[in-house]
Amino acid sequence: MRKEMIKLLVSHDLISEEDAKKLDSINDEKIEEYIKDLGFGKTEHITKENITENLETEYMGREILCFRKVFSTNSIAKFLANHGTKEGTVLISEIQTNARGRSGKKWEAPEGGVWMSLLLRPHIPPARIGLITLTTGVAIAKTIKTLGLDAKIKWPNDVLIHGDKISGVLTEVNATLNEIDWIVVGIGIDSNFKLDALSEDVRNGTTTLTEELPSDTDANSLIAKFLNEFEEVYDLYKEGEVETILTDWRSLSDTIGKYVNITQTGGKITQGYVVGINHEGSLIIERQDGTLEKIISGELRTVE
Ligand code: BTN
């Protein structure tokens, strides 16, 4: 991680190759300072100024760091989170070269996409962490719907357009049993690029805004719209207004009422009919023998 940060600083000419070799001479506070300097004026289309024009939030995205190219915005967000950076800080990169997806998979993040990470520090019981993924899915789906597309959510938070994935979320957390230190929510929206910018094995089952819409979508206003939607649902999340979020999630769901196959973390496979989600965001499955099972996390596939 530290090495990743130093490479980033070198690539933006913030430190020399020589200094980078003397890793010990650079302390973490200095690195953090440098990273903050990176946030302005180095990108080609996404800028803090242009996002801010349409931002209606109180705190979400009021601190934005925009990069041209990084390994992973989640990695930088985690680094900053461990150094005290405040809630609502948003990191965006026009390209990611080593982005991560759920279940340890790689995530392809070419030019034209919206790749961002949100740093959150909610003062809520850690038991409620799981719901942040559903909350984020709701904000993304609502944002994409404003473009006139019929966005649906596949549990827990993939956003689909007519069955093809257009957005995914990777949530990373640092918490004890009693307290959350930070949550980093990483969001990828496949926006202004054609499917052929992705490798062949991920094209199937994926779509992009370019494939769905007649013209390009303005990334800056899309990001602002998302942050506006997100702050609204995130405030409900912090206030414990779980039922309101779940009601929204259910109305956007592409999963409830389907027959599915779920590979749970740990490898167990469950097959059955999706009855609904509970107040923790877990999926409730009715198995063939009529018994119910609660699934906290896993990879879901619809059975035709
Ligand atoms: C998924 O597998 O569906 C989750 C994809 C999450 C990708 C985003 S892009 C911004 C952030 N940085 C990362 O390295 N991953 C997330």
Side-chain angles (χ1 to χ4, degrees):
M1 186 58 211
R2 198 178 145 79
K3 274 198 182 145
E4 223 173 72
M5 291 304 148
I6 290 173
K7 249 186 166 175
L8 177 73
L9 299 174
V10 173
S11 69
H12 284 76
D13 292 328
L14 281 168
I15 57 167
S16 67
E17 295 264 7
E18 276 313 294
D19 279 346
K21 279 182 201 141
K22 298 180 231 144
L23 296 190
D24 288 344
S25 68
I26 304 166
N27 61 31
D28 278 359
E29 281 67 36
K30 195 81 196 156
I31 292 181
E32 195 192 357
E33 232 173 72
Y34 281 137
I35 290 175
K36 287 207 164 144
D37 280 349
L38 281 177
F40 306 98
K42 301 259 182 191
T43 54
E44 290 186 10
H45 350 270
I46 301 178
T47 66
K48 178 180 176 165
E49 292 66 33
N50 289 342
I51 295 168
T52 308
E53 260 175 41
N54 294 302
L55 207 58
E56 289 160 10
T57 59
E58 193 188 309
Y59 58 93
M60 194 58 61
R62 291 292 163 189
E63 179 77 69
I64 300 183
L65 303 174
C66 294
F67 303 99
R68 172 68 185 148
K69 192 196 272 191
V70 298
F71 294 91
S72 155
T73 51
N74 262 39
S75 300
I76 300 177
K78 280 162 57 178
F79 178 86
L80 294 179
N82 283 327
H83 289 79
T85 300
K86 67 172 189 275
E87 156 141 302
T89 302
V90 175
L91 289 99
I92 303 172
S93 186
E94 290 178 340
I95 301 169
Q96 291 177 108
T97 52
N98 202 8
R100 289 173 286 116
R102 293 177 62 223
S103 313
K105 292 194 190 128
K106 266 184 76 97
W107 177 262
E108 296 187 27
E111 167 107 60
V114 166
W115 320 124
M116 67 183 151
S117 300
L118 317 179
L119 200 166
L120 311 175
R121 296 187 187 276
H123 299 291
I124 54 159
R128 220 189 293 150
I129 289 175
L131 271 180
I132 192 68
T133 54
L134 269 61
T135 304
T136 309
V138 167
I140 302 171
K142 284 186 169 179
T143 306
I144 293 179
K145 270 172 124 25
T146 67
L147 305 174
L149 295 168
D150 187 20
K152 295 270 179 206
I153 309 175
K154 176 182 145 194
W155 183 84
N157 56 10
D158 282 351
V159 176
L160 313 178
I161 308 283
H162 52 69
D164 291 330
K165 178 164 170 174
I166 197 152
S167 173
V169 180
L170 173 68
T171 306
E172 301 188 77
V173 179
N174 188 27
T176 61
L177 272 181
N178 306 317
E179 207 181 18
I180 298 171
D181 182 9
W182 51 256
I183 303 179
V184 166
V185 179
I187 296 136
I189 306 176
D190 291 340
S191 25
N192 294 326
F193 60 86
K194 289 191 133 178
L195 269 185
D196 59 17
L198 299 175
S199 60
E200 242 173 90
D201 46 325
V202 296
R203 278 179 217 164
N204 197 9
T206 301
T207 191
T208 72
L209 292 180
T210 299
E211 301 287 348
E212 302 295 332
L213 294 170
S215 54
D216 268 3
T217 304
D218 179 59
N220 293 294
S221 66
L222 186 70
I223 293 167
K225 264 186 202 166
F226 167 75
L227 294 172
N228 295 340
E229 291 286 357
F230 184 85
E231 186 175 280
E232 213 171 290
V233 274
Y234 179 60
D235 281 345
L236 293 173
Y237 170 79
K238 286 193 289 190
E239 286 155 15
E241 296 286 335
V242 173
E243 228 7 86
T244 315
I245 299 168
L246 294 183
T247 303
D248 274 354
W249 191 93
R250 289 182 188 113
S251 74
L252 291 161
S253 165
D254 184 60
T255 302
I256 295 173
K258 293 231 164 117
Y259 285 92
V260 297
N261 218 320
I262 301 176
T263 310
Q264 296 187 50
T265 321
K268 183 179 171 205
I269 295 177
T270 302
Q271 195 164 331
Y273 176 80
V274 181
V275 178
I277 45 168
N278 70 6
H279 65 285
E280 295 160 337
S282 299
L283 207 61
I284 308 298
I285 304 284
E286 183 183 359
R287 291 183 291 221
Q288 231 166 11
D289 62 6
T291 56
L292 297 181
E293 184 171 343
K294 180 176 96 171
I295 316 270
I296 298 171
S297 70
E299 285 291 313
L300 179 145
R301 207 167 45 79
T302 305
V303 180
E304 298 302 327

